Amino acid sequence: MTTQTAPLISIRGLVKAYDAFTVLHGIDLDIAEGEVVCVIGPSGSGKSTLIRCINHLEAFSPDSTITVDGIRVEPGKALAQVRAEVGMVFQSFNLFPHMSVVRNVMLAPMRVRGTSAAEAERKARELLARVGIAEQADKFPGQLSGGQQQRVAIARALAMEPKVLLFDEPTSALDPEMVGEVLDVMRQLAGTGVTMVVVTHEMGFARQVADRVIFMDGGRLVEAGTPQEIFDRPSHERTRGFLRAVLNH
Protein backbone atom coordinates (compact mmCIF):
# COMPACT_ATOMS: atom_id res chain seq x y z
CA MET A 1 0.00 0.00 0.00
CA THR A 2 1.48 3.35 -0.98
CA THR A 3 1.59 6.14 1.57
CA GLN A 4 0.52 9.67 0.92
CA THR A 5 -0.57 12.55 3.09
CA ALA A 6 -4.10 12.95 1.72
CA PRO A 7 -6.45 9.99 1.34
CA LEU A 8 -7.52 9.12 -2.20
CA ILE A 9 -11.16 9.01 -1.06
CA SER A 10 -12.40 11.14 1.83
CA ILE A 11 -15.98 10.93 3.11
CA ARG A 12 -17.25 13.28 5.81
CA GLY A 13 -20.68 13.33 7.42
CA LEU A 14 -22.28 11.30 4.63
CA VAL A 15 -26.05 11.36 4.99
CA LYS A 16 -28.45 9.80 2.50
CA ALA A 17 -32.19 9.87 3.05
CA TYR A 18 -35.31 8.99 1.06
CA ASP A 19 -37.99 11.29 2.43
CA ALA A 20 -38.38 10.25 6.08
CA PHE A 21 -36.15 7.16 5.79
CA THR A 22 -32.44 7.72 6.42
CA VAL A 23 -30.20 5.15 4.72
CA LEU A 24 -26.80 6.54 5.83
CA HIS A 25 -26.31 8.32 9.14
CA GLY A 26 -23.22 10.55 8.96
CA ILE A 27 -20.53 8.21 7.64
CA ASP A 28 -16.88 9.32 8.01
CA LEU A 29 -14.33 7.28 6.07
CA ASP A 30 -10.90 7.76 4.48
CA ILE A 31 -9.42 5.34 1.94
CA ALA A 32 -5.75 5.50 1.02
CA GLU A 33 -4.31 5.06 -2.44
CA GLY A 34 -3.67 1.38 -3.12
CA GLU A 35 -5.86 0.22 -0.23
CA VAL A 36 -8.28 -2.70 -0.62
CA VAL A 37 -11.34 -2.12 1.57
CA CYS A 38 -14.12 -4.70 1.93
CA VAL A 39 -17.49 -3.54 3.23
CA ILE A 40 -19.57 -6.19 4.96
CA GLY A 41 -22.85 -6.22 6.85
CA PRO A 42 -26.46 -7.41 6.66
CA SER A 43 -28.72 -6.64 3.72
CA GLY A 44 -30.20 -3.17 3.99
CA SER A 45 -27.31 -1.80 6.06
CA GLY A 46 -26.40 0.86 3.47
CA LYS A 47 -23.30 -0.80 1.99
CA SER A 48 -24.25 -0.44 -1.67
CA THR A 49 -25.63 3.07 -1.11
CA LEU A 50 -22.29 4.07 0.42
CA ILE A 51 -20.22 3.12 -2.61
CA ARG A 52 -22.82 4.44 -5.07
CA CYS A 53 -22.46 7.84 -3.40
CA ILE A 54 -18.71 7.87 -4.14
CA ASN A 55 -19.34 8.48 -7.86
CA HIS A 56 -22.71 10.19 -7.28
CA LEU A 57 -24.85 7.40 -8.65
CA GLU A 58 -26.83 8.23 -5.52
CA ALA A 59 -27.32 11.90 -4.65
CA PHE A 60 -26.62 12.66 -0.98
CA SER A 61 -27.18 15.46 1.53
CA PRO A 62 -25.56 18.76 0.43
CA ASP A 63 -24.05 19.02 3.93
CA SER A 64 -22.06 15.84 3.25
CA THR A 65 -18.63 15.92 1.62
CA ILE A 66 -16.95 13.31 -0.59
CA THR A 67 -13.69 13.96 -2.40
CA VAL A 68 -11.89 11.63 -4.81
CA ASP A 69 -8.25 12.49 -5.47
CA GLY A 70 -8.93 15.99 -4.16
CA ILE A 71 -11.96 16.61 -6.40
CA ARG A 72 -15.26 17.20 -4.64
CA VAL A 73 -18.04 14.85 -5.74
CA GLU A 74 -20.99 17.05 -6.67
CA PRO A 75 -23.18 17.72 -9.71
CA GLY A 76 -21.43 19.75 -12.40
CA LYS A 77 -18.34 19.62 -14.58
CA ALA A 78 -16.13 18.01 -11.96
CA LEU A 79 -18.41 14.97 -11.74
CA ALA A 80 -17.39 13.72 -15.20
CA GLN A 81 -13.76 14.01 -14.09
CA VAL A 82 -14.46 11.96 -10.97
CA ARG A 83 -16.36 9.29 -12.90
CA ALA A 84 -13.52 8.97 -15.40
CA GLU A 85 -11.26 8.03 -12.46
CA VAL A 86 -13.72 5.69 -10.71
CA GLY A 87 -14.57 2.34 -12.29
CA MET A 88 -17.67 0.50 -11.10
CA VAL A 89 -18.62 -3.17 -11.33
CA PHE A 90 -22.26 -3.90 -10.50
CA GLN A 91 -24.21 -6.97 -9.40
CA SER A 92 -25.79 -7.16 -12.84
CA PHE A 93 -23.25 -6.93 -15.61
CA ASN A 94 -24.86 -4.03 -17.54
CA LEU A 95 -23.18 -5.01 -20.81
CA PHE A 96 -24.58 -3.81 -24.14
CA PRO A 97 -26.17 -6.98 -25.58
CA HIS A 98 -25.97 -5.78 -29.21
CA MET A 99 -22.19 -5.21 -29.05
CA SER A 100 -19.45 -7.80 -29.08
CA VAL A 101 -17.48 -8.31 -25.89
CA VAL A 102 -14.47 -6.43 -27.25
CA ARG A 103 -16.66 -3.49 -28.37
CA ASN A 104 -18.17 -3.30 -24.88
CA VAL A 105 -14.66 -2.85 -23.44
CA MET A 106 -13.57 -0.39 -26.16
CA LEU A 107 -16.52 1.97 -25.91
CA ALA A 108 -15.73 4.17 -22.89
CA PRO A 109 -12.07 4.90 -23.73
CA MET A 110 -13.11 5.94 -27.25
CA ARG A 111 -16.02 8.12 -26.09
CA VAL A 112 -14.59 9.61 -22.91
CA ARG A 113 -10.84 9.68 -23.49
CA GLY A 114 -10.82 10.01 -27.27
CA THR A 115 -8.75 6.85 -27.71
CA SER A 116 -8.45 5.67 -31.32
CA ALA A 117 -10.38 2.55 -32.31
CA ALA A 118 -7.17 0.64 -33.04
CA GLU A 119 -5.61 1.50 -29.68
CA ALA A 120 -8.87 0.86 -27.80
CA GLU A 121 -9.18 -2.57 -29.42
CA ARG A 122 -5.57 -3.46 -28.65
CA LYS A 123 -6.03 -2.49 -25.01
CA ALA A 124 -9.44 -4.23 -24.78
CA ARG A 125 -8.05 -7.53 -26.05
CA GLU A 126 -5.12 -7.22 -23.63
CA LEU A 127 -7.54 -6.68 -20.72
CA LEU A 128 -9.77 -9.58 -21.77
CA ALA A 129 -6.67 -11.78 -21.74
CA ARG A 130 -5.82 -10.44 -18.30
CA VAL A 131 -9.20 -11.52 -16.92
CA GLY A 132 -8.87 -14.91 -18.64
CA ILE A 133 -11.39 -14.65 -21.49
CA ALA A 134 -9.35 -13.56 -24.53
CA GLU A 135 -11.04 -16.25 -26.63
CA GLN A 136 -14.49 -14.75 -25.96
CA ALA A 137 -13.65 -11.28 -27.38
CA ASP A 138 -15.70 -11.53 -30.56
CA LYS A 139 -18.77 -13.16 -29.03
CA PHE A 140 -21.82 -11.30 -27.75
CA PRO A 141 -22.59 -11.08 -24.01
CA GLY A 142 -25.59 -13.40 -24.35
CA GLN A 143 -23.27 -16.19 -25.51
CA LEU A 144 -21.23 -16.04 -22.28
CA SER A 145 -21.82 -17.48 -18.81
CA GLY A 146 -22.59 -15.13 -15.94
CA GLY A 147 -19.06 -15.44 -14.60
CA GLN A 148 -17.60 -14.63 -18.01
CA GLN A 149 -19.91 -11.62 -18.36
CA GLN A 150 -18.82 -10.30 -14.98
CA ARG A 151 -15.17 -10.65 -16.04
CA VAL A 152 -16.01 -8.62 -19.16
CA ALA A 153 -17.52 -5.98 -16.86
CA ILE A 154 -14.28 -5.90 -14.84
CA ALA A 155 -12.23 -5.54 -18.04
CA ARG A 156 -14.54 -2.71 -19.13
CA ALA A 157 -13.99 -0.90 -15.83
CA LEU A 158 -10.21 -1.36 -16.14
CA ALA A 159 -10.20 0.01 -19.70
CA MET A 160 -10.56 3.54 -18.34
CA GLU A 161 -7.44 3.03 -16.19
CA PRO A 162 -9.32 4.21 -13.10
CA LYS A 163 -7.68 5.25 -9.85
CA VAL A 164 -10.45 3.53 -7.90
CA LEU A 165 -12.49 0.39 -8.58
CA LEU A 166 -15.84 0.04 -6.81
CA PHE A 167 -17.45 -3.41 -6.66
CA ASP A 168 -21.11 -3.66 -5.62
CA GLU A 169 -21.61 -7.31 -4.60
CA PRO A 170 -20.08 -8.49 -7.90
CA THR A 171 -20.71 -12.19 -7.26
CA SER A 172 -24.23 -12.06 -5.78
CA ALA A 173 -26.00 -12.62 -9.12
CA LEU A 174 -23.79 -15.56 -10.11
CA ASP A 175 -24.36 -19.28 -9.84
CA PRO A 176 -22.18 -20.66 -7.02
CA GLU A 177 -19.77 -22.43 -9.37
CA MET A 178 -19.04 -19.16 -11.17
CA VAL A 179 -18.23 -17.14 -8.06
CA GLY A 180 -14.68 -18.47 -7.77
CA GLU A 181 -13.57 -17.38 -11.23
CA VAL A 182 -14.64 -13.77 -10.59
CA LEU A 183 -13.06 -13.69 -7.12
CA ASP A 184 -9.82 -15.03 -8.63
CA VAL A 185 -9.69 -12.07 -11.03
CA MET A 186 -10.40 -9.68 -8.14
CA ARG A 187 -7.62 -11.28 -6.07
CA GLN A 188 -5.19 -10.69 -8.91
CA LEU A 189 -6.31 -7.06 -9.17
CA ALA A 190 -5.86 -6.55 -5.44
CA GLY A 191 -2.22 -7.50 -5.86
CA THR A 192 -1.58 -4.82 -8.49
CA GLY A 193 -1.90 -1.79 -6.20
CA VAL A 194 -5.21 -0.50 -7.58
CA THR A 195 -7.48 1.05 -4.94
CA MET A 196 -10.53 -1.17 -4.44
CA VAL A 197 -13.71 -0.76 -2.40
CA VAL A 198 -15.67 -4.01 -2.42
CA VAL A 199 -19.16 -4.58 -1.01
CA THR A 200 -19.26 -8.32 -0.55
CA HIS A 201 -20.92 -11.27 1.20
CA GLU A 202 -17.82 -13.38 0.53
CA MET A 203 -16.19 -13.45 3.96
CA GLY A 204 -13.29 -15.66 2.90
CA PHE A 205 -12.41 -13.20 0.14
CA ALA A 206 -12.60 -10.24 2.56
CA ARG A 207 -10.37 -12.03 5.07
CA GLN A 208 -7.81 -12.98 2.44
CA VAL A 209 -7.62 -9.87 0.27
CA ALA A 210 -8.65 -6.78 2.27
CA ASP A 211 -6.25 -4.39 3.92
CA ARG A 212 -9.22 -3.18 5.95
CA VAL A 213 -12.72 -4.54 6.60
CA ILE A 214 -15.62 -2.25 7.42
CA PHE A 215 -18.75 -3.56 9.13
CA MET A 216 -21.93 -1.58 8.56
CA ASP A 217 -25.34 -1.96 10.17
CA GLY A 218 -28.41 0.26 10.09
CA GLY A 219 -26.72 2.87 7.90
CA ARG A 220 -23.83 3.33 10.31
CA LEU A 221 -20.17 2.38 10.19
CA VAL A 222 -20.07 0.17 13.28
CA GLU A 223 -16.50 -1.06 13.21
CA ALA A 224 -13.40 -1.04 10.99
CA GLY A 225 -10.08 -2.81 11.23
CA THR A 226 -7.75 -5.35 9.69
CA PRO A 227 -9.31 -8.68 8.64
CA GLN A 228 -7.73 -10.26 11.73
CA GLU A 229 -9.27 -7.63 14.02
CA ILE A 230 -12.74 -7.85 12.49
CA PHE A 231 -12.98 -11.61 11.99
CA ASP A 232 -10.95 -12.86 14.96
CA ARG A 233 -11.35 -10.09 17.57
CA PRO A 234 -14.41 -7.95 16.74
CA SER A 235 -14.97 -5.37 19.46
CA HIS A 236 -18.66 -4.67 18.83
CA GLU A 237 -21.40 -7.10 19.83
CA ARG A 238 -23.34 -6.37 16.63
CA THR A 239 -20.30 -7.39 14.55
CA ARG A 240 -19.90 -10.58 16.57
CA GLY A 241 -23.57 -11.47 16.08
CA PHE A 242 -23.41 -10.89 12.33
CA LEU A 243 -20.25 -12.96 11.90
CA ARG A 244 -21.67 -15.80 14.01
CA ALA A 245 -24.73 -15.86 11.77
CA VAL A 246 -22.91 -15.80 8.42
CA LEU A 247 -19.89 -17.96 9.28
CA ASN A 248 -21.95 -20.71 10.95
CA HIS A 249 -24.62 -20.66 8.24
Side-chain angles (χ1 to χ4, degrees):
M1 195 171 92
T2 56
T3 56
Q4 60 176 39
T5 50
L8 186 62
I9 301 171
S10 181
I11 299 171
R12 289 290 175 273
L14 179 59
V15 173
K16 168 66 182 178
Y18 297 101
D19 299 321
F21 179 64
T22 302
V23 185
L24 298 173
H25 299 266
I27 302 284
D28 293 327
L29 178 64
D30 286 335
I31 296 169
E33 184 177 353
E35 192 174 15
V36 177
V37 175
C38 285
V39 186
I40 65 171
S43 295
S45 58
K47 308 181 301 294
S48 294
T49 303
L50 170 65
I51 66 163
R52 288 172 67 86
C53 286
I54 293 173
N55 60 355
H56 213 276
L57 288 177
E58 294 277 1
F60 46 84
S61 165
D63 297 329
S64 310
T65 306
I66 301 178
T67 58
V68 176
D69 201 19
I71 304 167
R72 184 161 177 164
V73 178
E74 57 189 350
K77 281 186 178 177
L79 188 56
Q81 195 177 345
V82 169
R83 286 180 173 165
E85 303 295 349
V86 179
M88 183 120 187
V89 179
F90 300 89
Q91 294 179 38
S92 53
F93 324 120
N94 292 356
L95 301 174
F96 292 111
H98 62 287
M99 287 185 184
S100 67
V101 162
V102 71
R103 291 290 299 180
N104 266 277
V105 180
M106 291 166 60
L107 189 62
M110 289 169 62
R111 283 199 176 165
V112 178
R113 299 218 191 275
T115 306
S116 71
E119 174 60 17
E121 182 173 355
R122 183 196 66 76
K123 180 76 174 177
R125 290 184 183 277
E126 187 181 286
L127 287 169
L128 290 167
R130 184 173 163 189
V131 299
I133 48 171
E135 72 285 355
Q136 309 294 342
D138 297 304
K139 292 184 180 177
F140 288 88
Q143 297 174 282
L144 273 56
S145 70
Q148 289 170 330
Q149 289 187 59
Q150 192 61 292
R151 285 190 278 166
V152 175
I154 293 171
R156 179 182 57 185
L158 289 170
M160 287 292 286
E161 299 179 356
K163 292 183 177 171
V164 181
L165 277 174
L166 307 176
F167 293 86
D168 185 6
E169 298 188 15
T171 59
S172 65
L174 299 178
D175 291 334
E177 66 268 23
M178 295 175 186
V179 169
E181 65 189 59
V182 173
L183 292 179
D184 284 345
V185 170
M186 292 171 64
R187 280 189 194 94
Q188 291 163 17
L189 284 178
T192 67
V194 65
T195 307
M196 294 169 57
V197 187
V198 184
V199 172
T200 185
H201 290 297
E202 301 290 339
M203 299 299 139
F205 173 82
R207 181 189 278 275
Q208 182 184 15
V209 173
D211 296 306
R212 191 159 42 127
V213 176
I214 289 167
F215 173 68
M216 289 182 67
D217 186 44
R220 290 180 168 84
L221 200 163
V222 175
E223 189 168 356
T226 65
Q228 292 73 26
E229 288 167 342
I230 297 299
F231 289 109
D232 299 337
R233 303 182 299 279
S235 60
H236 200 285
E237 178 51 41
R238 183 66 190 94
T239 315
R240 290 194 286 272
F242 171 77
L243 290 172
R244 272 197 303 271
V246 296
L247 296 177
N248 296 332
H249 186 60

